[in-house]
Every structure is written in structure tokens, then in C-alpha cells.
Amino acid sequence: MFIIFRALVSVSSLISRTTTEQIWDYVGEKWEHIDQSIRDACKDLVLSDDQLRLLMERLTNEINRGLSRETHDEAIIKCFTTYVQDLPNGTEKGNFLALDLGGTNFRVLLITLDGQNFDMKSKIYAIPQSLMLGTGTQLFDHIAQCLALFVKDLNLQNEVLPLGFTFSFPLTQYGLTQGHLVRWTKGFDCSGVIGEDVVALLENAINKRKDVKIDVCAILNDTTGTLMSCAWKNRNCRIGLIVGTGSNACYVEKTKNVECAIPSNYSKDKPDMLINTEWGAFGENNTLDFVTTEFDRAIDDNSINPTKQLFEKMISGMYMGELARLVLEKLVKEGLLFGGKCPPDLKKRGKFFTKYVSEIENDPKGRYTNCREVLAELGMRNVSDQDCENVRYVCSVVSRRAAHLVSAGAAALLNKMGENNVTVGVDGSVYRFHPHFHNLMVAKISELQPYKFDLMLSEDGSGRGAALVAAVASQRR
């Protein structure tokens, strides 16, 4: 149901030409039946344009600090250099592997390129919780085993296969094939990896098997992969954005501004370089206190990385459902919802899934079929229409704040680049499946900055982008 709906609203080239008012009429709600006491309980989650513009100003300042050689080390937004200076031009040919690691599953892909044609085969492999919290050796041995199985299934074990490695965690890169993990996020906490070169760890795990020929020729973040994937189809793509389990962005910066890069590892003759902002860390050192709520503080206190990734915790799918749950629980305790009777599951952390937010907001106005199904799963039956409307309002407030925060970030990057007709490539489950996220972003970005832009859904995720980076890198060698 959601994929069909998403297809209807994701024709960005058409939507971006509509007016802000038309978009807002399409996704907006007047909420005339919501009691003022409930609005008051949620008011801190509703951000004004003045707050968003202040956020943009602080975000831009931190990006500039991250790019500067003098302030990079203490900057909150690190702006890690990717050393990717070439975008696909359509001449890439051959077989290329991609490894996409960024959550509880990882993907292995084989992409065959022939000019503007491509063929893709892929397989998803699970990462058990024990490996997410085990040793780095165990994790990379598991990945290498899955890579070998994938290659052998395709009978390509005797062919040297260039591989692009999408590693969706904060990295300090010292070259296209050298990246050191800064910190784990998204529930991972493998020992022996922080501060280490993850390319070397992967290569060691592959080489000790001695049964496949894989050449790891690039490591990149999922934002870079998203940008590269979209750039293969659209040469105007200059920003890559992730709104899924986590949130991050990369963009094309002028090489002369990337002071933090190692001069010997890139070409000064090439005008541009991709920068992985790692903006999920924005908010550390109290830079987001002016929009932080009691619900955000509760999320942070109960996370595995308190005081870290604060911007991401306000936006991403890993936390959106829990934010909604905390608001709903507060309303019940104050007697404003369900007659003050809280279902047991609503009291448990993590029981209100982010997908519930999308499902509830996908109900047509005045109808609550999905909402009642969700509440039934939580142990609440025979709820009133007004309770359903209140629940939907809470979900709307939480998701719209996330969309507006992402929009402020994208608007800051567009202002920094100062170019018209930039395409923003976007991937991630929240953007893909929330029924209004795309339109909310188009409307708010349009209000916050003056340049023409377009949002483009990344059809094949960051995996194809990783293979394209490998293709470009191997053919430029």
C-alpha cells in the first residue's frame, strides 16, 4: 500500500514545480478537532521558520569548521573527505561488486555496466545481534564468508572483481581505500574496530579465505553511494541524503575549500570533491538545545550513545517511533488520551515502531482503519474516533518535525553551494515509505532558501552507487 502511494507522490520533477501552497494543501492538516491541552503538550515539537533558520546558520558554521584545517579536529560536523572527485560519465564497463553495510542487514551486489545499460544481482544477508556486539574479527569474517558465497553462486570466483564498500558509519578517510572508524552507531558496538582501517579489516578477512579474487578499490558512506547512484542518471545530482535508520548528507564541495584533505591523496587540478558531512552528530556541545525537548532528552538518556548523534535522534527511523510513544505515554498520564488508561505495551520502550507512524498517517482524513489496527496490536481496542485523531496528530507532529529538520539541513547545503537546479538524491526507509515526507520536504526547503532544486528518490539505494565508485576508481587507475 505504501509503495504504491509513494510512487504516486515521488515524481519529483513534477512536484517540485508546484507551489508551496498546493503542496501544503495536499499534506497539511488543520487539526480543528484537537484539544488545546494536547496541542500545548506537543508545542515544543512544532518548529518555527525562525528556529529552522537559526539551525541552518549553526549547521553551516559547523560545516565550515569541519572543512577548515585549523578547526576540523574540534568541529562537531566533521565533514570527512571522501577523496571521490569523479562522478560517473556513462563510459564505465565491466563487472563490479558492492558491499553495503549500514544496519542489521547488509547487501552484496554484482553490477554489470555497459555504457548506459546495467544489470544488477543482489542478495541480503542478516547480521545477528551477537555479531553486532561481538568482535570486529567475527563481523568481518562473517561478511567475507557471505561475499565468497555470493561470488561462487555466480561462478565468478576466478575473476578479479573490483569492489566498492559502502560503510555507513562515521569514518576518517585518508584516501579512497583507507578509512578509519570514528564511532559505531545504529546499535553496533563491535570491539577492536574503532580507530582501525575498516578496508584493511575487510581485506584481511577476504584474503585469509583464499577462495575469491576481490579488489577493494573504494570505501564510501551511504550518502556518497546515493549521490553516485543518482548522478549516473542525473548529472545535476550534487547532494546525497539519507533519511532512514540514521540520517546523514554528503555534497559536492569546491576542492580549494577542503582544507582538511591530505594534499598527496587527491588531485588539485580537479575542481570538486565529495564531502561526507556526518551531520547526525550536530547538536553535540549544546548547539541544538534551543529545539531539544523533554522527549529528545529521554531518547538520548536511554540510548547506547548518550550525548552523541543528537540531530540524527530527532530525525531518523531508529528513534521516530519511540519519540511518538513517549508523547503518547505523556498524554495518557495526563488523562488526555484513552481515558487515562495506558496499555502495557505503550509503556515499553521500543514497542511503538516507526512503521506505525507511517501507517497511521496513511489513513485518509476522518478514517482510522490503520490507526485502530496499530492500537489493537498494542492492546487497545474499542478506542474512540477522537482518540484516533489525537494519536494521528502526535504522529504528524513528530514526523513533520523530522521532515522540517532534514529540510533545514538540505536548505543549508543548497545555500552553501549557491547553484540553481541542483538535484538532491535521497534514500532511506523514512523518506521512501512515509506518505508525506517528500512533499513536506519540497515545501519547507522551498521556503527556507531561494534556489531551484529537485528531490530524486535513489531507486537502487547506496549499493549501486558503491559499485559505480568502484567502476570509476578502477578505470581511473
Side-chain angles (χ1 to χ4, degrees):
M1 169 168 58
F2 307 126
I3 295 174
I4 294 172
F5 185 89
R6 188 69 191 85
L8 293 174
V9 300
S10 65
V11 187
S12 56
S13 60
L14 296 176
I15 293 174
S16 61
R17 294 189 180 95
T18 62
T19 66
T20 298
E21 290 76 20
Q22 286 173 321
I23 293 168
W24 188 249
D25 285 346
Y26 182 70
V27 300
E29 296 280 5
K30 297 193 182 298
W31 303 113
E32 60 267 18
H33 301 301
I34 301 299
D35 190 82
Q36 188 60 46
S37 56
I38 291 179
R39 295 173 189 266
D40 290 342
C42 298
K43 69 180 187 304
D44 290 342
L45 291 163
V46 180
L47 302 179
S48 68
D49 283 354
D50 286 342
Q51 287 175 305
L52 293 174
R53 289 193 173 94
L54 177 57
L55 184 148
M56 290 168 60
E57 180 183 322
R58 293 187 177 185
L59 182 72
T60 302
N61 181 57
E62 282 301 323
I63 288 173
N64 290 332
R65 284 169 54 80
L67 292 171
S68 169
R69 185 179 298 107
E70 289 76 18
T71 55
H72 175 79
D73 288 345
E74 64 261 25
I76 297 168
I77 300 176
K78 290 298 184 185
C79 288
F80 292 123
T81 306
T82 67
Y83 296 94
V84 175
Q85 294 184 272
D86 296 299
L87 298 182
N89 60 18
T91 65
E92 296 79 19
K93 294 183 180 182
N95 289 324
F96 304 95
L97 283 176
L99 168 61
D100 185 5
L101 173 64
T104 54
N105 300 306
F106 68 92
R107 284 200 305 161
V108 180
L109 306 93
L110 177 78
I111 292 182
T112 303
L113 295 174
D114 182 10
Q116 290 299 312
N117 300 312
F118 86 100
D119 178 65
M120 183 176 73
K121 299 178 177 67
S122 66
K123 189 167 182 179
I124 296 175
Y125 298 91
I127 302 178
Q129 180 79 5
S130 59
L131 290 183
M132 293 174 66
L133 303 175
T135 68
T137 300
Q138 291 171 326
L139 175 65
F140 284 100
D141 282 350
H142 174 65
I143 292 170
Q145 180 184 28
C146 296
L147 274 170
L149 289 171
F150 181 80
V151 169
K152 290 176 181 178
D153 283 346
L154 296 173
N155 199 28
L156 293 172
Q157 62 269 25
N158 295 319
E159 181 178 333
V160 177
L161 296 170
L163 180 141
F165 182 15
T166 299
F167 187 76
S168 305
F169 302 92
L171 280 175
T172 299
Q173 279 193 246
Y174 299 100
L176 195 56
T177 58
Q178 187 179 2
H180 293 235
L181 176 65
V182 175
R183 67 170 77 129
W184 285 115
T185 59
K186 305 174 189 174
F188 280 76
D189 194 19
C190 298
S191 62
V193 185
I194 293 177
E196 298 296 321
D197 180 6
V198 295
V199 173
L201 294 174
L202 177 62
E203 287 177 332
N204 290 340
I206 293 170
N207 291 337
K208 70 185 179 183
R209 295 182 59 84
K210 299 180 180 179
D211 56 352
V212 288
K213 299 175 182 179
I214 296 174
D215 175 21
V216 184
C217 57
I219 185 167
L220 59 149
N221 191 272
D222 53 353
T223 55
T224 304
T226 295
L227 191 157
M228 294 290 281
S229 177
C230 291
W232 189 71
K233 284 189 172 183
N234 184 332
R235 300 292 172 83
N236 290 331
C237 188
R238 312 277 285 176
I239 296 174
L241 177 61
I242 301 293
V243 194
T245 304
S247 182
N248 191 17
C250 74
Y251 73 104
V252 177
E253 179 59 87
K254 293 178 176 61
T255 301
K256 65 181 182 181
N257 294 336
V258 190
E259 297 178 2
C260 57
I262 299 172
S264 59
N265 289 352
Y266 67 92
S267 170
K268 299 179 185 64
D269 296 330
K270 295 181 179 179
D272 299 320
M273 185 182 295
L274 267 62
I275 295 297
N276 167 27
T277 65
E278 287 296 339
W279 77 10
F282 186 42
E284 296 171 22
N285 295 347
N286 306 314
T287 49
L288 278 179
D289 281 3
F290 69 103
V291 290
T292 302
T293 69
E294 62 182 286
F295 312 112
D296 299 309
R297 288 187 285 272
I299 288 277
D300 186 49
D301 289 344
N302 290 293
S303 68
I304 65 171
N305 56 346
T307 75
K308 305 296 183 184
Q309 300 295 112
L310 299 178
F311 192 52
E312 181 173 74
K313 288 171 181 172
M314 293 178 168
I315 295 168
S316 70
M318 189 167 184
Y319 306 99
M320 185 182 290
E322 179 64 6
L323 275 168
R325 186 196 70 82
L326 289 167
V327 180
L328 293 171
E329 186 180 29
K330 177 181 179 177
L331 295 180
V332 175
K333 287 179 179 178
E334 293 182 357
L336 300 173
L337 189 64
F338 305 143
K341 297 177 182 178
C342 192
D345 278 355
L346 195 60
K347 298 178 182 178
K348 298 176 183 177
R349 284 200 299 271
K351 280 292 188 178
F352 195 92
F353 305 123
T354 295
K355 68 174 183 177
Y356 290 166
V357 176
S358 294
E359 290 171 2
I360 288 169
E361 289 200 68
N362 206 43
D363 272 330
K365 185 173 176 62
R367 296 174 59 187
Y368 308 107
T369 304
N370 292 340
C371 185
R372 284 196 162 88
E373 288 180 1
V374 167
L375 294 176
E377 288 185 35
L378 295 169
M380 286 295 294
R381 291 176 173 81
N382 301 318
V383 293
S384 68
D385 282 358
Q386 186 59 56
D387 276 339
C388 288
E389 183 76 352
N390 293 341
V391 170
R392 187 177 175 190
Y393 174 73
V394 169
C395 292
S396 172
V397 167
V398 169
S399 65
R400 275 153 180 71
R401 185 186 72 155
H404 290 168
L405 289 169
V406 171
S407 298
L413 292 178
L414 289 166
N415 275 339
K416 190 175 192 314
M417 296 172 71
E419 301 174 19
N420 266 318
N421 302 315
V422 168
T423 293
V424 182
V426 195
D427 200 0
S429 55
V430 172
Y431 178 81
R432 280 177 177 272
F433 300 124
H434 187 280
H436 306 315
F437 216 87
H438 171 93
N439 289 337
L440 285 165
M441 285 185 62
V442 171
K444 188 54 66 176
I445 294 171
S446 299
E447 292 171 356
L448 294 175
Q449 57 80 49
Y451 298 101
K452 295 178 182 178
F453 69 96
D454 198 12
L455 300 185
M456 177 180 180
L457 178 65
S458 179
E459 294 178 10
D460 303 305
S462 57
R464 184 173 73 174
L468 285 163
V469 173
V472 172
S474 64
Q475 295 188 16
R476 299 292 188 275
R477 284 179 177 177

